[in-house]
Amino acid sequence: MTPRLSIGWLDYAQHAGFATDPPGSGRRRTNPGSSGSCSTSAVTSGPGEAFTDLATAQAAATRWCREVAGMRMHGTPAARPLEVFTDLEAPVLLPVPAAYDVPVLRVVKVHRDHHVEIAKALYSVPTDWIGTHLTPAPTVIWWKLFHRGRLIKTHPRQPPGGRSTDPDDLPAERVGYAMRDLDRLQATAQRHGHHIGIYVQRLLDEPLPWTRMRSVYRLLGLVRRYGPGPVEDACRTALDLDVVSVAKIAAMLARGPGDHPTAAAHQRGDLGRFARDPAEFTTSLNNPRRRLTVVPDPIEEDLTP
């Protein structure tokens, strides 16, 4: 039976830079037989000793390996193990690898848009892997995508709602179709309103504009829901405030007409969620927006002769 290595082990092997050569099943001669040395070290390293903590035990074991076991004459190589290690093995050892982040493994599917979704973010994968299931392994700053132990793609981690798209993952004809779709969306937005067209231009103004097509579709959906007029007004206000976010447009439309902040208020710095006209808080009797009604004190009325 051929041994199968887990994704987690293969990921750590690639991180540390070593290869794994497991012994064949049922072949005793391919087994290095290291279990015997464990019992030897346990019995002879410190018979009758008691250690107060782990650090003391580790120091005693290191000293025993260097001064006792390492200096014994070994029968197979006819040499002392410590000398063999110092002269032959130590010079070819790899450096200690960096800290390893233990992955949390799961399975994701590559969709027809060349992306997989991980933690509410999208990551691109080459065309040949569409329809297959990959296993992502996270690190502090990267997502690694594996297929049966083979590393397929690496992407920097994105926050929820983010996207990482490698243009090389998309075929040339796909990019051409995407650019034609963008022209069509731009023309559709321009027909709904001048400021809606400018807003879509701002949304698509990035190196990979087809990755923002979902935002444009959402904005056109707001046009169908609220009508071109309210969306045109909301886009005009958002452009004055230099805010390019379809979520903000949706929030402005949900509050209703006449409740949109103005650019002048934004420049004054008095814009806030619960902002009110300062005149509303004036208690003067001459304020037409807030008149105070003076009610006579009943006690004073009783004392009036």
Side-chain angles (χ1 to χ4, degrees):
M1 180 183 296
T2 302
R4 296 181 60 183
L5 302 177
S6 66
I7 299 297
W9 176 260
L10 291 174
D11 181 63
Y12 179 73
Q14 292 182 1
H15 167 79
F18 63 84
T20 304
D21 185 17
S25 177
R27 299 181 181 179
R28 187 179 183 88
R29 293 185 178 181
T30 61
N31 191 327
S34 60
S35 57
S37 60
C38 298
S39 59
T40 301
S41 61
V43 173
T44 62
S45 59
E49 295 188 30
F51 303 105
T52 57
D53 52 25
L54 179 61
T56 303
Q58 290 176 338
T62 301
R63 183 172 59 254
W64 175 81
C65 290
R66 290 178 176 174
E67 299 176 2
V68 181
M71 298 305 296
R72 291 173 180 171
M73 185 63 67
H74 197 280
T76 301
R80 293 181 175 85
L82 183 59
E83 295 175 352
V84 173
F85 174 77
T86 303
D87 298 337
L88 303 179
E89 298 177 350
V92 296
L93 288 179
L94 298 175
V96 177
Y100 177 68
D101 297 316
V102 179
V104 179
L105 303 178
R106 65 195 72 180
V107 177
V108 294
K109 183 178 180 180
V110 183
H111 298 284
R112 295 180 63 184
D113 62 352
H114 295 73
H115 287 77
V116 297
E117 181 178 352
I118 308 173
K120 299 183 179 181
L122 298 177
Y123 302 89
S124 66
V125 178
T127 305
D128 296 339
W129 301 100
I130 291 179
T132 60
H133 290 81
L134 304 181
T135 303
T139 65
V140 175
I141 59 175
W142 299 98
W143 274 109
K144 300 178 181 179
L145 299 174
F146 292 88
H147 181 260
R148 297 180 180 178
R150 175 186 173 188
L151 180 62
I152 301 301
K153 196 71 181 180
T154 301
H155 282 282
R157 297 187 67 166
Q158 302 294 323
R163 177 193 292 260
S164 178
T165 301
D166 185 355
D168 294 335
D169 292 339
L170 305 178
E173 62 273 14
R174 179 60 180 263
V175 175
Y177 286 131
M179 295 305 296
R180 286 199 292 270
D181 289 341
L182 293 177
D183 295 338
R184 178 178 55 83
L185 291 176
Q186 182 70 59
T188 302
Q190 193 68 39
R191 287 197 300 268
H192 288 309
H194 175 68
H195 292 90
I196 297 177
I198 297 177
Y199 206 79
V200 169
Q201 267 186 341
R202 292 286 303 275
L203 286 172
L204 301 178
D205 185 18
E206 64 170 47
L208 301 177
W210 54 86
T211 62
R212 302 295 299 274
M213 291 177 64
R214 295 188 183 187
S215 298
V216 177
Y217 282 126
R218 184 183 180 188
L219 181 63
L220 296 179
L222 294 176
V223 174
R224 291 192 297 269
R225 180 177 180 182
Y226 294 99
V231 178
E232 173 76 4
D233 294 339
C235 288
R236 180 191 299 110
T237 302
L239 291 172
D240 291 340
L241 301 175
D242 196 23
V243 176
V244 182
S245 170
V246 179
K248 296 296 184 183
I249 297 292
M252 294 167 63
L253 294 171
R255 288 198 297 265
D259 195 22
H260 300 168
T262 63
H266 186 271
Q267 294 173 358
R268 290 196 307 267
D270 57 359
L271 181 64
R273 181 179 178 185
F274 302 103
R276 296 292 185 272
D277 189 345
E280 295 184 11
F281 301 96
T282 304
T283 58
S284 172
L285 295 177
N286 296 326
N287 183 12
R289 300 188 63 178
R290 180 176 290 233
R291 295 186 180 276
L292 298 180
T293 303
V294 180
V295 179
D297 191 343
I299 300 179
E300 294 181 358
E301 290 183 352
D302 295 340
L303 298 177
T304 302

